Amino acid sequence: MGVNYRKLYEKHHNLKIPKDWEIHHIDANRQNNEPENLIMLPKQLHRALHNYIGLLPRKELMIIRRWYMKKKSKLSNLYLGHKLKQEVKKLNLPSKLIDKNKKYVKNKDRIYDNYLVKIGVKKKLSEHILEYVVTVNEVDYKFYTKINAQDSEQALRLARTLVSGFHTYDSKKHKILQI
């Protein structure tokens, strides 16, 4: 069994991690549990970083965390991704890191697509119309959403966000928890 990095973080910083917070591995290596490689982030921000930005150094992560904490209302995942991209642009990151993050996000999208297939969510994009099917107990539930996008790549990105936002799937109970 692997090391519990949450407990390591709590012990090192002498604190209890709040309910809606997660521990982020700065270098994306979940085996590297050194305290300087771990940072506590709100769950929604943590996921948005992985889905829209990629990896940031500790200093920039702390700036982004402060920015996020100043927000008074909870943002939708798609809008948070949009605002997060704007804030990260202000950080003037080196072009090498920006290019590396583009590859990271593209790879993450590929992994997420495989996950959707695995849990029974199938998607098809045609003329920016998203059709996805959730199969529960051998019954298909079809959903359709029109997507306004400039090109197919942007439409696919929006489709992934919509699919992940419309349902929560409990694979142990084999049912949709939320739509």
Side-chain angles (χ1 to χ4, degrees), residues 119-122 133-141 169-177:
I119 65 169
V121 176
K122 303 164 195 130
V133 180
V134 178
T135 304
V136 181
N137 296 331
E138 300 179 336
V139 177
D140 289 344
Y141 296 89
Y169 185 82
D170 184 339
S171 59
K172 291 180 184 169
K173 294 181 181 176
H174 302 291
K175 66 179 184 178
I176 300 169
L177 301 176

Side-chain angles (χ1 to χ4, degrees), residues 15-160:
L15 57 73
K16 179 80 174 144
I17 300 169
K19 180 183 174 189
D20 290 335
W21 288 63
E22 295 179 337
I23 301 303
H24 173 68
H25 288 80
I26 295 170
D27 67 359
N29 178 358
R30 293 187 66 154
Q31 304 305 311
N32 181 359
N33 294 310
E34 294 298 318
E36 62 274 359
N37 188 47
L38 304 175
I39 187 170
M40 187 170 63
L41 298 172
K43 183 186 278 189
Q44 187 183 27
L45 176 61
H46 183 214
R47 294 184 181 186
L49 275 168
H50 283 290
N51 292 330
Y52 295 99
I53 302 300
L55 303 175
L56 297 174
R58 176 178 288 280
K59 178 182 168 191
E60 284 75 6
L61 282 169
M62 293 175 79
I63 292 168
I64 292 298
R65 183 174 65 183
R66 278 193 299 275
W67 163 81
Y68 180 82
M69 296 309 294
K70 288 179 183 176
K71 298 287 173 205
K72 298 294 183 203
S73 61
K74 187 174 179 183
L75 307 172
S76 72
N77 292 335
L78 187 57
Y79 188 66
L80 174 59
H82 170 73
K83 296 302 280 181
L84 189 55
K85 286 179 184 179
Q86 291 176 340
E87 290 301 312
V88 169
K89 278 185 184 178
K90 294 177 188 177
L91 298 175
N92 295 318
L93 298 172
S95 59
K96 189 175 181 180
L97 180 59
I98 292 169
D99 292 342
K100 185 178 177 182
N101 279 338
K102 284 180 185 175
K103 289 178 186 174
Y104 174 89
V105 170
K106 228 176 200 177
N107 186 49
K108 185 111 172 105
D109 289 345
R110 183 186 55 76
I111 291 168
Y112 184 64
D113 287 344
N114 292 337
Y115 164 75
L116 292 176
V117 169
K118 184 179 178 183
I119 65 169
V121 176
K122 303 164 195 130
K123 61 182 179 25
K124 177 178 73 178
L125 189 64
S126 172
E127 296 178 17
H128 305 295
I129 300 291
L130 171 70
E131 170 193 297
Y132 65 99
V133 180
V134 178
T135 304
V136 181
N137 296 331
E138 300 179 336
V139 177
D140 289 344
Y141 296 89
K142 291 185 182 184
F143 302 91
Y144 300 89
T145 306
K146 184 170 171 73
I147 299 171
N148 294 319
Q150 295 171 352
D151 57 35
S152 295
E153 189 173 320
Q154 184 187 13
L156 282 170
R157 190 141 198 46
L158 288 168
R160 287 184 193 99

